[in-house]
Amino acid sequence: MKGFLLTTAFTALALPAIAGESWDNVRAQLFGDKALLDGTQVIALDVPYRSPNDGRTQIAAHVAAPAGKRLGEITVVLDENPMPVSAVFEMDQPQERFFFDVTMRVNGPTPLHVVAETTDGALYVTEGFVKTSGQGACAAPPGTDMEEALATLGNMTIGVDSLKSGGALDKLAALSQRQRQLDLDISHPSNSGMQMDQITLLFVPMRYVEDVQIDLDGGGYVGMTGSISLSENPRVSLSVPAQTQSVDVTMTDTDGFTSHAHKDLAGF
């Protein structure tokens, strides 16, 4: 279902006419007439005022469920990107709080929205804006040779460190206690379908990271649905419980290619 919504948003919203129209359309497709509540006390965004590298922009947020609730799903929308629904995190284990930081392509100046859904169906939204350097990141030529990219396709590196906070996250810094930050580096060209091979002058077929499943200690934790908004060789960082002993990751791309990675976290 998520893949259908991402594709629908891609085809229907490629040519936004006025500011706000893209968000109105995405909101209607994803949430229908459900109420979206003010999420300024729930979601703390951490995004650059102007992206120093449009093809690798860090989009981050720290989300804390209201008292007595738990987070079930978080949706990241870059309103004016060709595929606006840029990432969706679905919790296998509903969380009281959750941090994510993902490297993304930002195609041009855009509002962005993060929507957090709690397990009782309530929706909370907050918004920001990212200015860009005018690089047209989704159509920019691939940064690496395609043969080299395919040779390492699906390689993944897992690292775990202390959960970082700062800037816009300071007001939720206390929530970082009892959590660690998992950093997942994925080797993948994330072809958008809008890039032109500089030698053949043909468009490179679309191929991106579609699904990332992260399991902790042998059980499901969170799944991420990706899009062409993910950067080349994306890094996905997110919070995990400090007591986690092992991490397993399964990545599947839009061509059906699957890879796995495992890491033991002795001493946590």
Side-chain angles (χ1 to χ4, degrees), residues 5 8-9 12-13 20-38 75-79 84-85 113-115 123-127:
L5 291 171
T8 302
L13 304 177
E21 183 175 347
S22 293
W23 168 241
D24 290 341
N25 288 333
V26 172
R27 171 178 175 167
Q29 289 180 36
L30 292 182
F31 309 114
D33 58 0
K34 292 182 180 179
L36 292 181
L37 306 174
D38 180 5
T75 302
V76 184
V77 178
L78 299 177
D79 297 13
V85 185
H113 292 81
V114 174
V115 180
L123 299 167
Y124 301 86
V125 62
T126 194
E127 62 182 358

Side-chain angles (χ1 to χ4, degrees), residues 7-108:
T7 302
T8 302
F10 180 46
T11 56
L13 304 177
L15 297 173
I18 57 174
E21 183 175 347
S22 293
W23 168 241
D24 290 341
N25 288 333
V26 172
R27 171 178 175 167
Q29 289 180 36
L30 292 182
F31 309 114
D33 58 0
K34 292 182 180 179
L36 292 181
L37 306 174
D38 180 5
T40 53
Q41 300 302 310
V42 175
I43 306 162
L45 289 177
D46 190 7
V47 298
Y49 170 74
R50 184 185 299 276
S51 173
N53 181 353
D54 298 354
R56 198 170 183 83
T57 304
Q58 288 185 254
I59 304 297
H62 202 153
V63 187
K69 298 190 177 189
R70 287 182 176 269
L71 303 168
E73 187 170 286
I74 298 170
T75 302
V76 184
V77 178
L78 299 177
D79 297 13
E80 304 296 348
N81 260 23
M83 191 177 281
V85 185
S86 298
V88 179
F89 296 91
E90 189 170 357
M91 314 292 174
D92 294 312
Q93 299 178 18
Q95 301 292 308
E96 293 180 357
R97 49 192 176 271
F98 186 74
F99 166 82
F100 70 85
D101 186 343
V102 184
T103 56
M104 291 187 172
R105 296 184 175 109
V106 181
N107 201 50

Side-chain angles (χ1 to χ4, degrees), residues 188-233:
H188 199 287
S190 298
N191 297 323
S192 68
M194 302 168 60
Q195 302 155 298
M196 183 177 290
D197 187 300
Q198 300 302 293
I199 297 176
T200 66
L201 300 184
L202 298 175
F203 285 101
V204 179
M206 180 187 295
R207 185 177 187 179
Y208 59 85
V209 174
E210 184 173 40
D211 181 74
V212 178
Q213 294 294 323
I214 298 175
D215 298 335
L216 305 181
D217 299 332
Y221 178 62
V222 64
M224 185 192 79
T225 302
S227 71
I228 66 169
S229 296
L230 294 181
S231 72
E232 184 175 351
N233 300 321

